[in-house]
């Protein structure tokens, strides 16, 4: 049996070459006879590997020198509380754009730590589908401690492709499902964070990228492992990091560099997404509810004309080696997550299947 194409939203597929290498050195990392999971994080070989992973990520994202790169615990949602605890306090107002389900969760979490969460705006229904409200309509607050948004809403498949202009507060972005998928001007942000399991590595792990001037603002009762200043000082080893996730993420960074980095990835990702959206738009059987300007290039949700055929679609897709296509339980339908590790070939096989299914079921 050939390996399936895995369209799961997260944990998502990892590059086949990376998994192959991890398997080969699983029991004996760097010919040491022991696994990378059995090595001390203070071991010079591990420290060297960890520093190299950071260096590679810095190169891939062109992260300026005045930013810290942290390898954190607790996935994407861990950062929902880490951000307010680190750069805001009980007397502060913070601004959030509510563009979907993940933004909504982030808003609720921030409410536990700050004086006021001001939701500047959200989505709206237009004649061409669901869109994010125009920035001119956003109700920004007077002096927020920061402005938070989620450039790619993984569940809704809705994206804000342009970085908001004219926001004076530090911009904070949840890039969990879009980090490293295309070039990004990091210098525009105060904080970028991402859970690892979509475009980087294993779940439970997170990357946080923080501009230096935002360090040292943590509330007195901030959990120490979530304190950016402490983790920056300790090079993300205040306590034992997730060593395996760090190692595997490092392999993914090396793989990405070999592929040509985020510019090449961005082009391939655009091509993959366009193939799917063009076909869905041309079809009377499949539909996507999002306005073309706001469509995610990582998560492509689609509905069948008759949702009673959802079960058959998923079952037959699986027989063709296409797995993980079930939409999020909050929204139903289907969702194809096409992160960096999904080859163009996988999208083509999915398209062929969708065409066949339409022919026999429309
Ligand atoms: C998956 C995801 C999260 C949650 O990540 P966890 O690691 O499960 O906490 C947060 N934000 C976005 C945009 C996501 O896609």
């Amino acid at each position: 049996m050939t390996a399936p194409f895995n369209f799961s939203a997260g944990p998502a597929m990892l590059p086949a070459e990376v998994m192959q290498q991890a398997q080969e050195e699983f029991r004996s990392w760097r010919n040491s006879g022991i696994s990378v999971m059995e090595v001390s994080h203070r071991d010079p070989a591990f420290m060297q590997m960890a520093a190299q992973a950071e260096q590679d990520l810095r190169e891939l994202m062109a992260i300026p020198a005045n930013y810290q790169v942290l390898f954190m615990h607790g996935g994407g949602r861990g950062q929902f509380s880490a951000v307010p605890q680190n750069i805001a306090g009980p007397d502060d107002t913070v601004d959030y754009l509510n563009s979907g389900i993940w933004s909504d969760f982030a808003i609720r979490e921030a409410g536990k730590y700050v004086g006021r969460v001001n939701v500047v705006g959200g989505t709206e229904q237009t004649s061409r589908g669901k869109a994010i409200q125009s920035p001119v309509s956003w109700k920004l607050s007077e002096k927020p401690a920061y402005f938070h948004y989620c450039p790619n809403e993984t569940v809704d498949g809705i994206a804000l492709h342009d970085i908001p202009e004219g926001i004076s507060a530090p911009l904070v972005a949840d890039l969990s499902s879009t980090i490293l998928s295309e070039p990004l001007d990091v210098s525009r942000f105060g904080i970028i964070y991402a859970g690892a399991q979509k475009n980087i590595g294993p779940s439970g792990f997170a990357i946080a990228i923080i501009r230096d001037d935002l360090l040292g603002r943590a509330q007195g009762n901030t959990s120490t492992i979530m304190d950016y200043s402490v983790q920056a000082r300790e090079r993300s080893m205040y306590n034992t990091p997730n060593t395996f996730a760090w190692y595997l993420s490092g392999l993914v960074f090396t793989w990405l560099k070999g592929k040509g980095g985020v510019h090449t990835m961005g082009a391939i990702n655009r091509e993959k997404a366009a193939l799917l959206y063009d076909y869905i738009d041309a079809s009377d059987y499949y539909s996507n509810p999002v306005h073309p300007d706001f469509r995610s290039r990582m998560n492509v949700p689609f509905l069948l004309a008759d949702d009673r055929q959802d079960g058959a679609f998923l079952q037959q897709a699986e027989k063709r080696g296409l797995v993980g296509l079930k939409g999020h339980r909050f929204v139903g339908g289907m969702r194809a997550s096409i992160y960096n590790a999904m080859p163009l070939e996988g999208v083509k096989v999915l398209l062929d299947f969708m065409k066949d299914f339409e022919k026999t079921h429309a």
Side-chain angles (χ1 to χ4, degrees):
M1 195 194 136
T2 53
F5 289 111
N6 176 6
F7 292 89
S8 170
M13 72 175 288
L14 289 160
E17 297 93 325
V18 166
M19 297 308 277
Q20 178 74 34
Q21 184 181 345
Q23 181 179 32
E24 278 163 14
E25 54 193 28
F26 188 65
R27 297 291 306 277
S28 180
W29 184 54
R30 296 187 170 174
N31 299 317
S32 61
I34 56 175
S35 170
V36 70
M37 276 182 288
E38 302 167 309
V39 183
S40 166
H41 56 299
R42 312 279 181 205
D43 180 282
F46 188 88
M47 299 270 280
Q48 186 275 329
M49 184 283 297
Q52 187 62 48
E54 176 182 335
Q55 193 47 44
D56 289 342
L57 181 63
R58 282 183 178 276
E59 253 178 65
L60 281 163
M61 293 184 71
I63 300 171
N66 62 324
Y67 285 75
Q68 301 289 328
V69 174
L70 307 180
F71 295 83
M72 304 282 290
H73 302 273
R77 292 179 92 150
Q79 298 303 305
F80 290 178
S81 56
V83 166
Q85 287 186 73
N86 272 281
I87 62 166
D91 299 327
D92 285 318
T93 295
V94 294
D95 281 355
Y96 276 70
L97 176 67
N98 189 353
S99 56
I101 284 167
W102 287 117
S103 294
D104 196 49
F105 282 131
I107 287 164
R108 284 191 246 167
E109 189 71 8
K112 294 182 179 175
Y113 303 100
V114 302
R116 191 167 84 89
V117 181
N118 171 50
V119 177
V120 304
T123 57
E124 62 188 6
Q125 215 43 60
T126 74
S127 58
R128 299 182 70 199
K130 196 171 175 181
I132 296 172
Q133 288 173 339
S134 160
V136 294
S137 73
W138 293 354
K139 299 193 171 41
L140 302 172
S141 57
E142 201 61 38
K143 261 194 172 305
Y146 60 87
F147 175 100
H148 180 282
Y149 80 114
C150 178
N152 187 74
E153 285 283 358
T154 320
V155 173
D156 314 75
I158 195 163
L160 191 61
H161 294 296
D162 297 322
I163 303 171
E165 299 278 350
I167 308 253
S168 50
L171 273 184
V172 179
D174 173 4
L175 286 184
S176 294
S177 51
T178 186
I179 191 167
L180 291 166
S181 69
E182 61 187 356
L184 179 80
D185 182 359
V186 174
S187 73
R188 298 278 307 276
F189 295 90
I191 298 175
I192 284 168
Y193 65 84
Q197 70 273 30
K198 279 111 188 193
N199 238 345
I200 296 179
S203 59
F205 196 52
I207 305 287
I209 301 166
I210 300 111
R211 207 173 60 215
D212 284 341
D213 62 288
L214 296 173
L215 295 172
R217 298 186 186 185
Q219 296 176 26
N221 56 2
T222 299
S223 151
T224 312
I225 63 164
M226 286 297 183
D227 188 321
Y228 294 148
S229 305
V230 172
Q231 290 290 16
R233 191 183 69 221
E234 303 290 335
R235 311 226 54 149
S236 307
M237 294 190 190
Y238 165 73
N239 68 325
T240 315
N242 185 336
T243 54
F244 188 74
W246 199 325
Y247 151 81
L248 207 74
S249 301
L251 295 188
V252 171
F253 299 152
T254 307
W255 174 83
L256 264 174
K257 282 174 71 177
K259 287 274 164 190
V262 291
H263 287 273
T264 309
M265 276 300 149
I268 299 171
N269 287 330
R270 274 171 194 263
E271 188 181 349
K272 288 178 338 199
L275 275 176
L276 282 172
Y277 286 120
D278 287 351
Y279 172 61
I280 290 168
D281 284 347
S283 148
D284 291 329
Y285 184 71
Y286 300 104
S287 64
N288 169 275
V290 181
H291 186 297
D293 293 348
F294 298 93
R295 285 177 174 172
S296 165
R297 296 186 195 112
M298 294 283 102
N299 312 95
V300 180
F302 59 92
L303 300 170
L304 313 191
D306 178 358
D307 67 6
R308 286 170 305 183
Q309 292 173 343
D310 284 4
F313 181 93
L314 290 167
Q315 217 174 13
Q316 291 176 31
E318 199 155 329
K319 281 206 192 116
R320 290 269 282 264
L322 304 163
V323 301
L325 286 163
K326 194 171 168 36
H328 192 277
R329 62 201 151 90
F330 289 179
V331 295
M334 307 297 154
R335 174 176 49 171
S337 294
I338 48 173
Y339 305 116
N340 287 343
M342 174 60 66
L344 185 59
E345 176 63 17
V347 172
K348 289 183 173 164
V349 174
L350 171 60
L351 268 182
D352 285 345
F353 168 70
M354 288 172 70
K355 287 174 188 169
D356 288 348
F357 192 85
E358 177 172 2
K359 261 188 227 138
T360 48
H361 290 77

